[in-house]
Amino acid sequence: MLFTTTSEAVRAWVHGWALSRGAGEPSSKPWGFTVTIGLPGHPVSHILPSADEANVRALTASATVPGVRLKAFVPAESLASWIAPGWALTGTPGFLMSTALRHDAVRTPPPLPTGYRLRTWTRSGVAHARVHDPDGTTAAHGQVSIDGTAAVVDRVETHPAHRRRGLGRAVMNTLTGTAAERGATVGLLASTTAGRALYEATGWRVAAPLTNALRGPDPGREARAGHSSASAAAALNASSEQ
């Protein structure tokens, strides 16, 4: 682990993650951070670097807006037993991972299968890498944000039809090389269970478990809405019969 504590790693990750996603600057809270996402169905994310039962219960009981997300760096079974009614775990268990980035490493263009092309660009402080297949379709992509000496790799994905051709590794090599050239000394990313082995094979190590939760619709509000709709329909039918 490249950080003294999980909280240090999460603090570095959340700022880079918010930059990568084009979200608001993380707002510090006694229990962690709130990040304003501002998307339909995803207004904010609460990030808890060192979650405990008391904080999770209090936060999830007070956060009742549908679509609010929670990221806690604890095992899934722990978070599942702490969240308030109306909340549910989402996705599969994940991991916060880190690696050292070497400034003295010579970056060479990654070899790609015949016909594939790698394109790179930077926009709003985020470096992007995208691999196109011979037809011009995106086969793999990813991005990295650099915040001081920490780089957060994000949204790395290879299309199922193009996997096992080294495209994901080419994207990762490009992103981490770019980050190192720009002064980053440590890389961070949030990985799925499926991706963990692939990242570990290239030197990444698990810093902490990562579990996500989502606030669902308010059952009471849905029931009231359903009742109102039924009442309106009944009134309309009665009016039609008169």
Side-chain angles (χ1 to χ4, degrees):
M1 184 171 175
L2 300 173
F3 297 91
T4 304
T5 65
T6 297
S7 293
E8 288 181 1
V10 174
R11 179 179 292 274
W13 173 81
V14 70
H15 283 83
W17 176 76
L19 176 61
S20 174
R21 298 299 174 98
E25 182 70 15
S27 176
S28 295
K29 305 292 182 182
W31 37 260
F33 303 91
T34 291
V35 179
T36 299
I37 307 299
L39 295 175
H42 187 179
V44 300
S45 282
H46 298 307
I47 318 296
L48 283 73
S50 53
D52 58 36
E53 182 174 0
N55 280 330
V56 170
R57 288 193 182 278
L59 180 58
T60 55
S62 63
T64 58
V65 176
V68 171
R69 313 294 173 94
L70 180 73
K71 293 181 179 294
F73 296 82
V74 295
E77 56 270 22
S78 295
L79 189 62
S81 66
W82 297 342
I83 53 179
W87 285 79
L89 301 191
T90 61
T92 60
F95 306 92
L96 179 66
M97 304 187 73
S98 63
T99 190
L101 300 178
R102 291 179 51 198
H103 289 253
D104 58 344
V106 177
R107 187 168 72 113
T108 57
L112 293 173
T114 301
Y116 286 87
R117 295 175 293 106
L118 174 66
R119 177 185 171 220
T120 62
W121 73 97
T122 299
R123 180 181 299 146
S124 300
V126 180
H128 300 258
R130 182 173 295 173
V131 176
H132 296 277
D133 71 6
D135 295 329
T137 303
T138 297
H141 62 85
Q143 59 197 59
V144 62
S145 62
I146 300 97
D147 184 19
T149 59
V152 173
V153 177
D154 191 25
R155 289 178 165 167
V156 176
E157 183 179 6
T158 301
H159 190 280
H162 300 277
R163 289 175 182 167
R164 299 187 182 280
R165 303 183 189 185
L167 305 184
R169 181 169 295 202
V171 168
M172 286 294 295
N173 288 347
T174 299
L175 295 176
T176 55
T178 298
E181 288 179 350
R182 298 183 184 181
T185 58
V186 60
L188 292 155
L189 60 78
S191 170
T192 61
T193 301
R196 174 180 174 176
L198 298 175
Y199 293 126
E200 286 182 328
T202 57
W204 292 77
R205 294 294 177 262
V206 171
L210 170 57
T211 307
N212 295 282
L214 170 68
R215 170 67 197 196
D218 180 357
R221 182 178 301 174
E222 287 193 331
R224 291 190 296 273
H227 177 72
S228 297
S229 297
S231 298
L236 179 60
N237 290 335
S239 176
S240 299
E241 292 171 358
Q242 290 177 353

